[in-house]
Amino acid sequence: MFETLIADGLVRIRQSFVAGLHDHHEHLVEAQRRIDAGADLPAALDEARFRAHKIYGTASTLGFEELGRRACECEQRMMRLLDDDAPAAGQLPQARDSLTLLIDEIARVIETRH
């Protein structure tokens, strides 16, 4: 009985997490648009870093390993850009690519959970 309660609770937590991914997805797509346009780049990078951090902190714990891996990679790449006074050539495209992979993985998780 106790195991059933825990399993049911975990299902509800996972469902809530996936429901929250819609909001993260929208904000990450907007951050990506701003990065592509070069509009307020530090704020766009920080938004992407923040969202990736929030996802990474929970995804792997709830069994979304690939999502957690993508979020971790995106967060790290955004942090490197934000921390460097003079980012190396190629860092922005790599960060943007990791953001695209995260956005795609979020969409995949949302799609497979509906």
Side-chain angles (χ1 to χ4, degrees):
M1 176 152 158
F2 183 68
E3 291 83 15
T4 303
L5 289 174
I6 296 214
D8 290 347
L10 186 55
V11 166
R12 284 192 300 277
I13 291 168
R14 286 173 55 96
Q15 289 170 341
S16 177
F17 175 75
V18 171
L21 287 176
H22 292 275
D23 184 56
H24 288 305
H25 187 269
E26 288 178 25
H27 282 89
L28 288 168
V29 167
E30 177 58 22
Q32 185 176 50
R33 186 196 64 72
R34 291 171 38 215
I35 290 167
D36 290 346
D40 197 12
L41 195 54
L45 293 170
D46 193 52
E47 177 70 16
R49 181 211 53 81
F50 171 77
R51 296 284 170 170
H53 176 79
K54 297 288 277 185
I55 293 166
Y56 171 58
T58 307
S60 296
T61 302
L62 295 178
F64 299 101
E65 289 84 11
E66 182 65 15
L67 180 58
R69 190 174 71 73
R70 295 289 183 199
C72 178
E73 179 183 326
C74 183
E75 178 188 17
Q76 290 174 352
R77 289 193 183 274
M78 297 302 161
M79 283 179 16
R80 277 188 219 119
L81 278 171
L82 289 164
D83 290 344
D84 286 349
D85 290 331
Q91 272 188 303
L92 184 58
Q94 290 173 350
R96 195 224 181 263
D97 290 347
S98 71
L99 178 55
T100 298
L101 291 171
L102 176 56
I103 289 169
D104 291 348
E105 183 61 17
I106 291 169
R108 188 192 70 74
V109 168
I110 290 170
E111 170 112 357
T112 60
R113 299 296 175 201
H114 281 122

